[in-house]
Amino acid sequence: MEQQRYRWIRKAALAGVLTLPVMAAGCGWFTPSESKAVDPPQGETGSAITGADGQTSAAATGSAEVSAQGEASGLTVYLKDEEGYLAPVTIQAKLDSKLTAEAQALELLVDGGAYAKLLPQGFSGVLPQGTQVLNVQVNEKTKLASVEFSKQFSDYNEQDERRMLEAITYTLTGLDGIQGVELWEEGERLQEMPIGQYPLDRALTRAIGINLEADSSVDYSLSTPVTLYFSSKTELGDPYFVPVTRLVPRTADKLTAALDQLAEGPLEESGLLPVWLQDVSVDKITQNKETITLDLKDEAYKKGDVAPAEMMRAVVLSLTDNAGIDQVQIKLNGASDFKDELNTSYTEPVSRPEQLNAFKS
């Protein structure tokens, strides 16, 4: 399953928004949820890399910096869980004041690295042991992050190659001012990955997807990627969200397709947990430049009943991820005057949370 999940899907399978409407399935408010509350997601200039001037000085040349006291309001990085999935994890700990946020985030991705003790139990970094972050520079005009690693970056197994790229890309593009990433190693710009030859001739963006999966019946060249958020649990029983990019038959309506797939649930062999409940159906979904409006229907709903918090958060995460819009107005049977299990009000549009999977230490 490991190789199947991370099989190579070239850029052609992930390019742009394609066309074929997909109907959304229904699911329910009143099915009891066993899930505990999950902390909701988080989300300067420089020239090209010129060489390795040393880890500390080079890493201190980025944009967003950790405070002088070493405090951070939460740094979200993409780590490998015990099932091999990448999941966003918000590290709420005293961080290194000598490093920029970009450099610190990448250091947290190093397996067994200097900051491994900050990671929650059951999660690990995906970059090879011993990898050093030599330089990180962000061009504020192009929003491109240029990252230089030491030679240890090439010491990995081929099956881990795509996971490494996804973790680096999603971690850095989750920071303000970064939309793309290019990779360097010991002063040389990488045109492809050294083991599996994944092409790096273009900047890496979130178009590469994360935790990629596709049914064998889907034609990659005639497909559309949609990113969904399902649930998982640590060995200690702590719940967390896992993003999955699923290839579906080509469609121009990514939001409807995303809700359809969210209702369909995770792949049976994945080990992930469904978030969409029975009896709720999608009536209508629209969007403008600032807000997605989702109308849900549930004939069994009674005024005063509460909505399932995990489903609501997964819906908000999935819709905002696919639309690139941070706000969702959710209505139930035409009204928005309801709350979820965590007392969140949906009278006004709700925003995509700034932090995700912030485990208590």
Side-chain angles (χ1 to χ4, degrees):
M1 187 181 74
E2 183 80 5
Q3 290 182 346
Q4 181 180 8
R5 186 190 312 152
Y6 289 99
R7 60 191 167 195
W8 298 119
I9 299 177
R10 293 307 211 189
K11 296 175 184 176
L14 293 172
V17 178
L18 311 173
T19 66
L20 175 68
V22 179
M23 296 303 294
C27 300
W29 294 122
F30 304 109
T31 305
S33 173
E34 298 179 355
S35 304
K36 294 186 288 185
V38 182
D39 289 335
Q42 190 176 352
E44 168 152 352
T45 60
S47 56
I49 303 297
T50 56
D53 297 325
Q55 183 178 3
T56 301
S57 60
T61 62
S63 55
E65 294 191 6
V66 179
S67 69
Q69 291 74 30
E71 298 294 338
S73 59
L75 191 58
T76 299
V77 296
Y78 283 73
L79 304 173
K80 183 177 67 173
D81 69 7
E82 293 178 322
E83 296 297 324
Y85 282 99
L86 289 176
V89 176
T90 300
I91 306 299
Q92 295 179 323
K94 186 175 182 179
L95 303 176
D96 194 333
S97 62
K98 296 180 182 179
L99 298 178
T100 65
E102 296 90 352
Q104 178 75 82
L106 292 170
E107 291 283 2
L108 288 163
L109 298 185
V110 178
D111 184 24
Y115 303 97
K117 61 184 178 181
L118 297 178
L119 307 187
Q121 183 176 339
F123 293 88
S124 60
V126 297
L127 300 185
Q129 289 190 6
T131 299
Q132 296 181 23
V133 182
L134 301 179
N135 204 330
V136 184
Q137 294 186 14
V138 181
N139 187 311
E140 69 177 10
K141 291 184 178 181
T142 63
K143 298 185 177 181
L144 179 69
S146 297
V147 181
E148 182 179 14
F149 293 110
S150 63
K151 61 182 180 181
Q152 289 85 354
F153 178 71
S154 296
D155 187 17
Y156 62 87
N157 295 321
E158 183 175 351
Q159 67 182 30
D160 297 323
E161 186 170 284
R162 186 180 184 97
R163 188 191 288 115
M164 289 166 56
L165 295 177
E166 292 173 6
I168 292 169
T169 302
Y170 272 72
T171 293
L172 288 180
T173 56
L175 298 173
D176 287 342
I178 300 178
Q179 295 181 354
V181 181
E182 65 178 20
L183 302 181
W184 294 61
E185 182 179 302
E186 299 282 0
E188 181 180 351
R189 166 77 190 279
L190 295 178
Q191 297 298 316
E192 62 182 20
M193 286 294 283
I195 305 299
Q197 284 77 53
Y198 187 96
L200 299 175
D201 52 318
R202 298 181 181 180
L204 295 166
T205 70
R206 290 197 174 198
I208 67 172
I210 187 167
N211 296 320
L212 258 147
E213 61 183 36
D215 188 276
S216 58
S217 63
V218 175
D219 184 339
Y220 295 164
S221 64
L222 298 174
S223 65
T224 296
V226 292
T227 299
L228 319 167
Y229 283 79
F230 296 115
S231 181
S232 189
K233 287 187 178 182
T234 67
E235 286 190 353
L236 299 177
D238 294 320
Y240 59 97
F241 286 116
V242 175
V244 170
T245 298
R246 181 175 294 175
L247 297 182
V248 300
R250 181 179 291 179
T251 175
D253 189 354
K254 289 188 68 172
L255 298 187
T256 299
L259 292 180
D260 176 58
Q261 294 300 314
L262 199 64
E264 186 172 315
L267 299 181
E268 185 176 350
E269 68 272 18
S270 70
L272 298 175
L273 304 174
V275 293
W276 192 284
L277 305 180
Q278 295 180 352
D279 303 326
V280 175
S281 61
V282 175
D283 185 33
K284 185 172 61 174
I285 183 167
T286 58
Q287 71 177 87
N288 56 35
K289 292 183 179 180
E290 297 181 351
T291 305
I292 302 164
T293 300
L294 172 64
D295 287 88
L296 298 173
K297 292 180 65 176
D298 186 348
E299 294 182 0
Y301 172 78
K302 297 178 182 178
K303 189 175 179 63
D305 288 333
V306 294
E310 184 176 61
M311 173 181 165
M312 301 302 284
R313 279 160 173 69
V315 165
V316 171
L317 289 171
S318 299
L319 289 179
T320 55
D321 203 299
N322 287 286
I325 297 174
D326 290 336
Q327 284 194 137
V328 182
Q329 174 70 72
I330 301 179
K331 297 180 180 180
L332 174 59
N333 295 343
S336 58
D337 56 343
F338 65 92
K339 295 183 178 181
D340 67 20
E341 298 162 323
L342 299 181
N343 205 38
T344 301
S345 173
Y346 292 86
T347 304
E348 300 293 333
V350 292
S351 297
R352 183 182 178 91
E354 292 183 351
Q355 298 182 0
L356 183 61
N357 300 333
F359 296 93
K360 295 181 180 179
S361 56

